[in-house]
Structure formats: C-alpha cells, structure tokens
C-alpha cells in the first residue's frame, strides 16, 4: 500500500496533464451529448485513470523507459487537441481506464495518425513481400543454373 502513497509530485503532474484534456470534451461534443458530458466529473475520471495507471504500470518515477513512455503517451493523447474522440470516450466511460493502460500507441492515437501508421505498416509489409518474392526468384534461378 505504501507504494501507492509515494510519488506525490508525479501523481499530481499526471492528474494535471489528464485534467488539461478531459474538460475540453464539454466544448467538443454535439448538443445531443452535452447532458451526458455534464454528468461526468473530469476530476474524478482523471483521478481514476491516474490511480489505475499507478496500479497497472507502477510509479512513474521508478518505472522503466517503457512505463514512462506509456504514461507520456496517454497524457499526450488525452491533451492532444486533434484527439477529441479519445477524450470523449474516456470521460464517458466508453474506454475504461483498465483498457486505456493496456492499449497500444496506435489505439490511443488520433484518427489521422492511426491512418498514417496503417499506411506505413502496409508499405513495410509490401517491401517485405517484394523482397521475399525477389529472394524466391533468385533461389529458383540458382537452382535452374545448377541443373
């Protein structure tokens, strides 16, 4: 239990980062959703997300490079002005904090960035396939030459 009482400064900074993004939801949603958003408390949600991050990932200041990267990624994406969908989903509980801490960076990234990452992945796969095809042809021609 003492592990979760330590790191006050870092916990405060993480909650503050989350709170920079979550209140923006009220101004970003359509009129039909405003009542649902008003029913949610951004402070409470930020506290809950931070607490789950601490429990699942461990303290930020004692974490590995990967743990620190995860904390930063979540905080950045919640504050990112181009990522209103993630903020809304977190605030309204559509993305639970338990799920948020296990999501890969592509899942928390804004829509446009996810699309760009997908395109890059496809290009890399195409290069690998082309290289494999070239290697197969080269092996086949070596076999033919050996006959």
């Amino acid at each position: 239990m003492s592990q979760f009482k330590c790191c006050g400064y870092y916990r405060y900074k993480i909650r503050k980062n989350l709170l920079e993004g979550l209140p923006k939801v009220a101004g970003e949603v359509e009129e039909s959703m405003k009542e649902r958003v008003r029913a949610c408390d951004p402070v409470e949600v930020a506290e809950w997300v931070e607490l789950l991050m601490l429990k699942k990932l461990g303290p930020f200041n004692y974490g590995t490079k990967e743990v620190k990267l995860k904390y930063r990624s979540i905080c950045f994406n919640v504050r990112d002005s181009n990522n209103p969908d993630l903020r809304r989903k977190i605030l309204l509980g559509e993305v639970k904090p338990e799920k948020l801490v296990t999501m890969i960076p592509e899942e928390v990234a804004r829509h446009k960035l996810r699309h760009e990452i997908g395109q890059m992945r496809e290009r890399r796969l195409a290069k690998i396939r082309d290289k494999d095809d070239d290697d197969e042809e080269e092996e086949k021609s070596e076999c033919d030459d050996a006959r």
Side-chain angles (χ1 to χ4, degrees), residues 77-106:
N77 282 293
V78 169
R79 291 181 316 184
D80 184 1
S81 59
N82 295 315
N83 204 346
D85 291 338
L86 178 67
R87 276 192 295 281
R88 177 184 45 77
K89 289 176 181 177
I90 293 169
L91 187 66
L92 296 176
E94 295 169 13
V95 171
K96 303 286 186 209
E98 297 88 350
K99 171 74 173 141
L100 181 65
V101 297
T102 62
M103 293 169 77
I104 59 173
E106 289 87 36

Side-chain angles (χ1 to χ4, degrees), residues 26-55:
E28 296 170 335
V29 295
E30 298 172 5
E31 198 62 42
S32 61
M33 295 187 79
K34 291 207 184 266
E35 193 60 39
R36 280 183 62 204
V37 169
R38 279 193 287 269
C40 300
D41 181 6
V43 174
E44 188 177 303
V45 173
E47 288 173 354
W48 187 243
V49 169
E50 183 276 329
L51 180 63
L52 262 288
M53 289 169 71
L54 178 66
K55 285 183 177 181

Side-chain angles (χ1 to χ4, degrees), residues 5-21:
K5 290 188 178 185
C6 72
C7 325
Y9 171 76
Y10 292 102
R11 292 186 69 188
Y12 166 78
K13 290 289 283 182
I14 290 161
R15 288 180 185 194
K16 183 179 174 215
N17 282 331
L18 294 169
L19 273 170
E20 285 180 24

